[in-house]
């Protein structure tokens, strides 16, 4: 075994013995211990190794014990190959089966001689041991004390003898310790590593921690005659563990929200009273205002002597924090010279173990501070600059008043750790607040400032941004006026949160407006939008947007609908978005069955359009999924929405707001948008149409009919312009298009002239030369109309031109058209 550790079994001699005593296995350790090689022993009887006459009978008893399932260990004498005897510590396992035979595993090591100690050496060790030791009688009075214990407690040996611990050291949990020792006397069971803390006469101004073990002193007749205890000062270990524990606990208590003021309050709440009696947190004004700032130095490298600080939090063990000179929200005067902005920039704590109110920096900066220091007994202080990511944030100050112990170097370390944790959380909150504010501002700027549905729809909307923890999302909606008094309604939700989602929302909203102006039907518009999202996502991935910290465009959902007040038909398609809700004037609410379609950005899948008819004064609502997912179940959320919108409420704005409040009573993790419309119809007195024969001679007749109709509508001053528009559009249709040709005049907020034909050839505006005989038709249309364009239908196309109705004759888009049954 050599010098191997006695507790190490890796070098033990090991062998496997069968039930008849034959050696089955033999290790190198066994060869080293007894001198026999494996070929000499395997198959031979193990009895040749025994060196005691009574060994066979003893071995038989051991075997019976091991067969019963119990192991055995003990001393046994064996014979070496050279003839000498060895005392070995033998361990035998319980019996087990191997190759059909019952076997035992044996391991052994040689017993070494025991070391002896002179009594003088032992006495000297006890007296000068670094561990405090004492002997107490059954009355727990000191009988013997070593010198180390005298130094730990600060009480001389002669004063201890014959007295109890609680009489000598009342600040050291004496009564609790005596209860522990009384239990040891009563039970005879020792207590080890019992930790306690308190003050002693040796260091009355600093709290110490101790670890003690108590052992019963037992007489020859097993009677407990007293207590022997050992005690060790473990203050450093206790302080380190305390710091680690408090820092870990602070990690779960500080920074629970992304709110700057709340984070400052959590730091102060955590530190009082467990660490300090009075705590204030003062932050730089740009931090509270979420303004960008990276350093306090100006261009010349100098720093302002008076940083702009405001009180963010104050806590005290006294109710009302009477020690505070400033309250939350007040601008705080900084420390006087030599402390200035460089104190915050450098980041080193200001540690004053014993505070003198009459000395700077207190009196010079704020005359009221010395009075408060004296009045409330502020005697020790630590001020730690708050810095994170090379940015100065503020100053946290910890003070002790009711706690008589001054701060120590360990407390400075703990204060730094607490402030460092809080500073990172504060900086996260500051950065998040800045980004959240920017994203919210961007999103609100991209949403339409005012919505109007013209004479076709009454419109109301409600938008709620997500709470600050969730981040601004990409919900958007819009109402787009189209030709022929029609209105486009769109609502969508971009995947993700933050500035990236808001910016993506703006790009999609602009794209929808552009595609809607091209008069695309809903399914085609979504197909073009899907291509756009695919292209944007590919561009951002290719340009390394993720590496720059901006989330790539990953997709969106959208629903687009077009309502025609003349036919009261609504055509719609959706891309992974919830269906709209419809509440007829005389029926229950329902959700139209529209093919869901894939979300935008997947590509390769078609979108399908659905057309429904809406009764006049129907409620038609579009919403984002945050509104119906708030209750945790989509179907239940849709049922609640239908119930909320089915209420008889004529005020659309009020109904919209009430519905959102009912479904979303508090903060939510996702944006919420609700777009409500109430439909109107343009009756026969607002629309008239004529079929035109494919004959140039019909142009004159249709001009006359159009002028007469415009005059009947009270728009006589537009008659001449209307004649010219009808003449040019019908002439172009007869000349270049295919029959059937149809003319329609619409009067709503504008006067619209439409000419439909069966050709799908797109019209082209060109500038004719002075020598050309034709080519000026569409140019004249563009000059005479407010706006003009073309849209395609299943039968061909429609060329349309709008004129502005004079203000005194206009049917305002803000007012609905009265029902014919109503009294004017």
């Amino acid at each position: 075994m050599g010098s191997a550790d006695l507790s190490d079994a890796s070098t033990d001699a090991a062998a496997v013995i069968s039930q008849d005593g034959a050696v089955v296995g033999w290790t190198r350790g066994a060869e080293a211990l007894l001198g026999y090689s494996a070929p000499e022993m395997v198959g031979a009887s193990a009895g040749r190794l025994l060196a005691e006459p009574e060994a066979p009978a003893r071995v038989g008893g051991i075997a019976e014990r091991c067969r019963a399932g119990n192991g055995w260990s003990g001393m046994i004498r064996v014979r070496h190959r050279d003839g000498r005897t060895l005392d070995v510590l033998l361990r035998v396992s319980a019996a087990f089966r191997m190759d059909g035979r019952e076997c035992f595993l044996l391991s052994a090591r040689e017993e070494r001689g025991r070391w002896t100690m002179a009594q003088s050496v032992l006495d000297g060790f006890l007296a000068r041991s670094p561990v405090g030791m004492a002997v107490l009688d059954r009355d727990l009075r000191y009988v013997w004390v070593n010198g180390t214990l005298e130094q730990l407690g600060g009480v001389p040996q002669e004063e201890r003898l014959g007295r109890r611990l609680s009489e000598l050291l009342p600040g050291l949990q004496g009564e609790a310790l005596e209860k522990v020792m009384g239990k040891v006397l009563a039970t005879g069971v020792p207590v080890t590593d019992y930790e306690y803390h308190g003050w002693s006469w040796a260091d009355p101004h600093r709290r110490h921690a101790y670890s003690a073990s108590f052992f019963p002193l037992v007489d020859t007749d097993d009677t407990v005659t007293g207590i022997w205890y050992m005690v060790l000062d473990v203050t450093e270990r206790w302080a380190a563990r305390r710091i680690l524990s408090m820092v870990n606990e602070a990690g779960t208590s500080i920074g629970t929200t992304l709110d700057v003021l709340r984070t400052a309050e959590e730091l102060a709440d955590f530190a009082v009273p467990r660490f300090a009696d009075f705590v204030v947190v003062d932050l730089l004004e740009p931090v509270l205002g979420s303004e960008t700032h990276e350093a306090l130095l100006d261009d010349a490298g100098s720093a302002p002597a008076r940083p702009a600080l405001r009180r963010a939090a104050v806590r005290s063990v006294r109710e009302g924090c009477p020690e505070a000179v400033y309250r939350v929200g007040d601008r705080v005067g900084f420390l006087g010279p030599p402390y200035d902005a460089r104190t915050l920039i450098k980041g080193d704590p200001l540690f004053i173990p014993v505070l003198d109110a009459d000395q700077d920096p207190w009196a010079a900066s704020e005359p009221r501070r010395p009075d408060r220091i004296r009045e409330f007994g502020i005697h020790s202080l630590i001020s730690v600059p708050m810095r994170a990511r090379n940015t100065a944030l503020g100053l946290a100050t910890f003070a002790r008043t009711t706690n008589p112990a001054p701060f120590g170097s360990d407390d400075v370390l703990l204060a730094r750790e607490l402030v460092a944790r809080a500073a990172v959380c504060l900086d996260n909150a500051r950065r998040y607040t800045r980004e959240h504010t920017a994203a919210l501002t961007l999103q609100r700027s991209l949403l339409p400032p005012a919505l109007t549905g013209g004479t076709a729809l009454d419109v109301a909307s409600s938008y709620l941004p997500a709470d600050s923890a969730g981040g601004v999302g990409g919900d958007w909606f819009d109402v787009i006026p189209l030709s022929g008094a029609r209105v486009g309604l769109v609502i969508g939700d971009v995947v993700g949160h933050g500035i990236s989602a808001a910016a993506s929302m703006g790009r999609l909203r602009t794209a929808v407006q552009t595609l809607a102006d091209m008069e695309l039907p809903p399914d085609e518009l979504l197909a073009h939008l899907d291509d756009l999202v695919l292209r944007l996502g590919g561009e951002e991935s290719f340009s390394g947007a993720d590496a720059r910290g901006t989330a790539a465009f990953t997709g969106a959902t959208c629903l687009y609908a077009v309502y025609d007040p003349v036919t009261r038909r609504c055509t719609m398609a959706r891309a992974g978005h919830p269906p709209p809700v419809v509440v007829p004037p005389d029926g229950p609410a329902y959700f139209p069955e529209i093919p869901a379609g894939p979300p935008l950005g997947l590509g390769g899948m078609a979108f399908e359009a659905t057309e429904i008819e809406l009764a006049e004064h129907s409620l038609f609502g579009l919403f984002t999924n945050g509104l119906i997912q708030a209750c945790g179940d989509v179907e239940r959320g849709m049922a609640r929405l239908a119930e909320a919108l089915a209420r008889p409420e004529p005020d659309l704005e009020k109904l919209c707001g009430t519905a959102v409040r009912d479904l979303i009573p508090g903060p939510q993790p996702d944006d919420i948008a609700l777009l409500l419309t109430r439909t109107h119809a343009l009756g026969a007195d607002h629309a008239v149409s004529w079929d035109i024969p494919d004959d140039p001679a019909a142009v004159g007749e249709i001009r006359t009919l159009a002028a007469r109709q415009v005059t009947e509508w009270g728009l006589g001053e537009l008659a001449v312009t209307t004649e010219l528009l009808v003449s040019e559009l019908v002439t172009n249709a007869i000349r270049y298009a295919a029959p059937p040709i149809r003319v329609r005049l619409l009067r709503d907020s504008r006067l619209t002239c439409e000419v439909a034909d069966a050709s799908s050839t797109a019209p082209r505006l060109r500038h004719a030369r002075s020598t050309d005989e034709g080519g000026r038709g569409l140019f004249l249309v563009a000059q005479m109309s407010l706006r003009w364009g073309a849209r395609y239908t299943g039968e061909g196309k429609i060329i349309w031109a709008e004129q502005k109705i004079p203000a005194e004759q206009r049917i305002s888009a803000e007012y609905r058209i009265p029902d014919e049954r109503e009294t004017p």
Side-chain angles (χ1 to χ4, degrees):
M1 293 177 55
S3 59
D5 187 351
L6 292 176
S7 64
D8 181 16
S10 62
T11 58
D12 283 6
V16 178
I17 309 297
S18 67
Q19 61 182 356
D20 57 1
V23 177
V24 178
W26 192 260
T27 64
R28 292 177 181 264
E31 181 179 351
L33 178 65
L34 299 176
Y36 293 99
S37 65
E40 291 177 293
M41 290 303 301
V42 174
S45 174
R48 62 191 291 191
L49 301 174
L50 300 176
E52 295 178 344
E54 68 281 6
R58 186 182 181 194
V59 168
I62 294 172
E64 288 301 322
R65 174 183 174 86
C66 294
R67 285 193 183 97
N70 300 313
W72 180 89
S73 63
M75 295 297 300
I76 194 166
R77 182 164 294 177
V78 296
R79 191 178 305 280
H80 194 272
R81 191 174 190 278
D82 60 10
R84 57 191 173 89
T85 59
L86 302 173
D87 290 327
V88 298
L89 177 63
L90 180 67
R91 291 187 292 273
V92 185
S93 72
F96 59 91
R97 304 290 296 179
M98 187 174 71
D99 295 334
R101 292 188 293 178
E102 188 177 52
C103 298
F104 308 92
L105 175 64
L106 285 70
S107 65
R109 65 170 59 186
E110 186 177 2
E111 179 71 6
R112 301 293 186 180
R114 297 187 178 181
W115 178 72
T116 59
M117 180 191 301
Q119 185 63 38
S120 60
V121 175
L122 182 59
D123 292 343
F125 168 75
L126 294 175
R128 294 184 294 274
S129 170
V131 179
M133 301 182 187
V135 176
L136 290 78
D137 60 19
R138 289 191 59 84
D139 295 327
L140 301 182
R141 300 184 182 277
Y142 284 100
V143 176
W144 176 82
V145 179
N146 74 344
T148 304
L149 190 62
E150 288 187 65
Q151 297 172 9
L152 291 178
V155 180
Q157 180 179 2
E158 57 273 14
E159 294 185 20
R160 284 181 180 259
L161 297 180
R163 302 179 68 180
R164 296 168 66 98
L165 175 64
S166 57
E167 299 172 358
L168 299 169
L169 298 167
L172 209 60
Q173 302 182 19
E175 294 182 357
L177 292 173
E178 289 180 351
K179 287 183 179 180
V180 175
M181 290 188 284
K183 184 178 180 180
V184 173
L185 286 174
T187 63
V189 178
V191 174
T192 58
D193 294 326
Y194 178 84
E195 280 199 10
Y196 59 97
H197 47 79
W199 288 266
S200 68
W201 296 112
D203 190 2
H205 300 294
R206 184 187 178 199
R207 200 177 193 184
H208 284 252
Y210 304 94
S211 176
S213 297
F214 306 92
F215 304 92
L217 294 175
V218 183
D219 208 343
T220 54
D221 57 355
D222 291 336
T223 302
V224 179
T225 60
I227 294 288
W228 171 48
Y229 81 81
M230 300 184 299
V231 61
L232 185 67
D233 190 329
V234 294
T235 301
E236 292 186 3
R237 184 181 73 187
W238 173 74
R241 192 170 63 222
R242 172 172 167 260
I243 291 174
L244 181 60
S245 175
M246 289 190 69
V247 169
N248 288 337
E249 188 178 351
T252 61
S253 302
I254 302 174
T256 60
T257 67
L258 288 170
D259 182 85
V260 172
L261 285 176
R262 182 59 193 145
T263 302
E265 292 169 356
E266 287 173 345
L267 171 61
D269 290 339
F270 179 83
V272 176
R274 70 187 76 192
F275 177 64
D277 302 320
F278 176 58
V279 174
V280 295
V281 180
D282 301 324
L283 299 179
L284 290 166
E285 288 186 338
V287 177
L288 290 171
S290 302
E291 300 171 14
T292 302
H293 78 298
E294 299 301 332
L296 293 176
L297 295 175
D298 57 24
D299 295 337
S302 60
R306 290 289 182 270
L309 292 169
R310 285 197 181 273
R311 183 133 301 171
V314 56
R315 292 292 183 273
S316 171
V317 294
R318 296 181 173 91
E319 186 176 357
C321 304
E323 305 96 327
V325 176
Y326 299 100
R327 296 296 169 179
V328 173
D330 293 347
R331 187 160 185 170
V332 179
F334 199 65
L335 303 179
Y339 305 102
D340 55 17
R342 293 187 182 276
T343 303
L344 299 179
I345 296 170
K346 189 176 180 182
D348 292 332
L350 171 63
F351 174 40
I352 306 177
V354 181
L355 188 61
D356 186 349
D358 296 324
Q359 294 182 355
D360 282 338
W362 316 109
S365 60
E366 175 52 65
R368 292 178 293 176
R369 275 179 175 155
D371 297 335
R372 300 291 174 91
I373 292 173
R374 297 188 194 96
E375 179 181 356
F376 297 101
I378 302 176
H379 60 86
S380 190
L381 179 141
I382 303 173
S383 284
V384 184
M386 307 185 76
R387 292 181 56 80
R389 302 180 181 97
N390 200 33
T391 301
L393 303 173
L395 189 71
T397 301
F398 307 87
R400 283 186 175 168
T401 58
T402 58
N403 186 346
F407 286 120
S409 56
D410 292 339
D411 295 316
V412 176
L413 177 61
L414 176 56
R416 294 190 71 158
E417 290 294 330
L418 293 179
V419 171
R421 289 277 182 121
V424 172
C425 296
L426 272 173
D427 193 50
N428 289 340
R430 177 183 70 89
R431 290 168 180 261
Y432 173 79
T433 301
R434 184 175 64 192
E435 180 175 334
H436 184 267
T437 302
L440 189 59
T441 302
L442 174 61
Q443 187 182 46
R444 289 193 180 278
S445 68
L446 294 174
L447 289 173
L451 298 174
T452 176
T455 55
L457 298 169
D458 292 334
V459 180
S461 65
S462 179
Y463 169 75
L464 290 179
D467 67 310
S468 58
V472 173
D475 291 11
W476 97 95
F477 53 87
D478 209 347
V479 178
I480 306 170
L482 302 174
S483 64
R486 299 171 307 131
V487 179
L489 302 171
V490 62
I491 193 164
D493 185 0
V494 174
V495 175
H497 292 84
I499 290 180
S500 176
S504 299
M505 175 269 284
R507 298 166 82 174
L508 285 185
R509 178 171 176 260
T510 302
V512 170
Q513 290 177 332
T514 302
L515 294 171
D517 284 342
M518 295 171 63
E519 302 284 357
L520 294 176
D523 51 343
E524 292 186 26
L525 183 143
L526 291 181
H528 283 282
L529 205 59
D530 184 47
D531 292 339
L532 173 65
V533 173
L534 278 172
R535 186 168 67 253
L536 291 177
E539 289 175 356
E540 292 181 357
S541 299
F542 180 77
S543 63
D546 292 333
R548 297 194 305 269
T550 302
F553 200 151
T554 56
T557 65
C558 183
L559 187 150
Y560 181 65
V562 176
Y563 174 67
D564 188 339
V566 177
T567 63
R568 294 186 288 108
R569 307 292 294 179
C570 182
T571 307
M572 65 197 86
R574 60 187 179 125
H577 201 84
V581 57
V582 177
V583 185
D586 55 354
Y590 69 95
F591 296 88
E593 294 184 4
I594 310 171
L600 299 175
L602 295 183
M605 300 177 69
F607 300 95
E608 296 182 43
T610 299
E611 186 175 83
I612 63 173
E613 184 174 330
L614 296 175
E616 190 173 8
H617 308 306
S618 292
L619 195 68
F620 186 72
L622 291 79
F623 52 91
T624 54
N625 57 7
L627 187 63
I628 57 175
Q629 289 178 344
C631 62
D633 183 88
V634 172
E635 291 186 2
R636 182 165 173 261
M638 293 175 70
R640 290 181 59 197
L641 175 62
E643 181 182 351
L645 296 180
R647 299 168 183 165
E649 173 57 63
D651 189 331
L652 201 60
E653 288 285 355
K654 186 176 180 180
L655 178 62
C656 186
T658 303
V660 171
R661 285 192 297 271
D662 289 348
L663 270 67
I664 311 295
Q668 71 288 338
D670 195 8
D671 285 15
I672 288 170
L674 175 62
L675 177 63
L676 282 187
T677 65
R678 183 169 282 127
T679 64
H680 298 297
L682 285 180
D685 56 337
H686 292 278
V688 63
S689 60
W690 303 277
D691 291 323
I692 306 300
D694 188 14
D695 183 357
V699 175
E701 182 181 356
I702 193 60
R703 288 177 57 181
T704 303
L705 292 174
R708 184 184 304 155
Q709 182 62 54
V710 170
T711 304
E712 290 178 1
W713 280 340
L715 306 176
E717 60 187 272
L718 299 180
V720 175
T721 308
T722 304
E723 283 188 80
L724 292 174
L725 290 175
V726 170
S727 177
E728 294 296 337
L729 294 178
V730 172
T731 299
N732 280 346
I734 293 174
R735 181 177 300 175
Y736 302 110
I741 301 172
R742 188 175 182 83
V743 174
R744 185 172 73 164
L745 292 180
L746 291 174
R747 186 197 68 171
D748 63 333
S749 57
R750 292 172 183 172
L751 178 62
T752 305
C753 176
E754 297 180 345
V755 176
D757 59 59
S759 172
S760 59
T761 303
R764 184 168 61 92
L765 178 67
R766 62 188 181 92
H767 296 275
R769 292 172 294 181
S770 59
T771 58
D772 291 343
E773 296 182 0
R776 298 177 178 83
L778 288 180
F779 180 77
L780 293 174
V781 170
Q783 293 297 312
M784 291 184 293
S785 61
L786 181 65
R787 63 174 190 154
W788 74 281
R791 68 176 184 270
Y792 293 90
T793 66
E795 296 77 25
K797 68 176 182 297
I798 296 175
I799 309 297
W800 55 269
E802 293 180 351
Q803 299 178 73
K804 186 177 181 181
I805 297 177
E808 64 274 8
Q809 298 170 318
R810 185 185 312 146
I811 301 176
S812 174
E814 298 178 0
Y815 296 93
R816 67 179 182 84
I817 299 174
D819 192 283
E820 293 181 355
R821 295 169 294 179
E822 297 179 1
T823 302

